[in-house]
Amino acid sequence: MSTHDAAPDAPVRFDTRIAVLLREDLETWQRLNVTAFLVSGLGSQFPEVIGEPYEDADAVGYLPMFRQPVLVFEGTKETLTRAHARVLSRALPRALFTSDLFATGNDRDNRAAVRAVATAELDLVGLAVHGPKNAVDKVLKGARMHP
């Protein structure tokens, strides 16, 4: 988060961005599933992106969530391939989801399915990235905000 917190009610500005890029030809259930899987690892690797736990007026507690927005984009298969190359060249933290993962049913098989395919041959359907805002924006060049 930015250190420009001049007033308690001023808008919070973040120096980093969390973004998900989905292939445009996915079905709705696939888009939701892929997004959930992609962002699930960020909190364990970057605890600073997680806020404080929630509590309602009756003191019922809820788990903490990301403390900043997750931007969701979509693009063609080619857009995803270019974004993947850019994220690798910039060595930004990333998660990926390939079409092969729709046919697996557990984490072990998911990892094996990715491991079985060379980087250049991955059939990407989703990519998540976290990093400085302008670096993430450059990775996502050519993608459009998800409708």
Side-chain angles (χ1 to χ4, degrees):
M1 180 168 53
S2 176
T3 57
H4 308 294
D5 298 337
D9 57 348
V12 176
R13 304 274 185 228
F14 297 97
D15 297 330
T16 61
R17 180 158 301 189
I18 298 170
V20 173
L21 174 57
L22 302 170
R23 203 164 75 193
E24 65 186 2
D25 61 349
L26 296 179
E27 295 181 35
T28 301
W29 74 265
Q30 291 173 317
R31 290 171 186 253
L32 296 169
N33 186 266
V34 170
T35 300
F37 270 97
L38 287 172
V39 299
S40 67
L42 287 176
S44 65
Q45 295 299 307
F46 302 97
E48 67 274 12
V49 301
I50 304 296
E52 297 296 320
Y54 287 74
E55 185 176 281
D56 66 24
D58 295 320
V60 175
Y62 303 93
L63 295 172
M65 296 185 283
F66 289 129
R67 61 185 187 93
Q68 68 185 88
V70 175
L71 302 176
V72 181
F73 296 83
E74 70 174 5
T76 64
K77 183 175 184 170
E78 295 75 23
T79 301
L80 219 56
T81 299
R82 285 190 301 271
H84 185 241
R86 289 184 197 124
V87 79
L88 294 176
S89 73
R90 288 171 172 77
L92 292 172
R94 69 246 170 217
L96 76 140
F97 200 103
T98 67
S99 63
D100 296 330
L101 303 186
F102 290 125
T104 60
N106 61 74
D107 189 48
R108 182 191 68 232
D109 292 342
N110 286 351
R111 288 192 314 279
V114 172
R115 191 178 313 109
V117 180
T119 304
E121 303 303 317
L122 292 168
D123 186 15
L124 299 168
V125 298
L127 182 69
V129 60
H130 173 259
K133 285 167 86 169
N134 70 346
V136 171
D137 290 345
K138 287 177 183 175
V139 164
L140 298 173
K141 185 178 178 183
R144 59 191 172 279
M145 287 296 291
H146 192 283

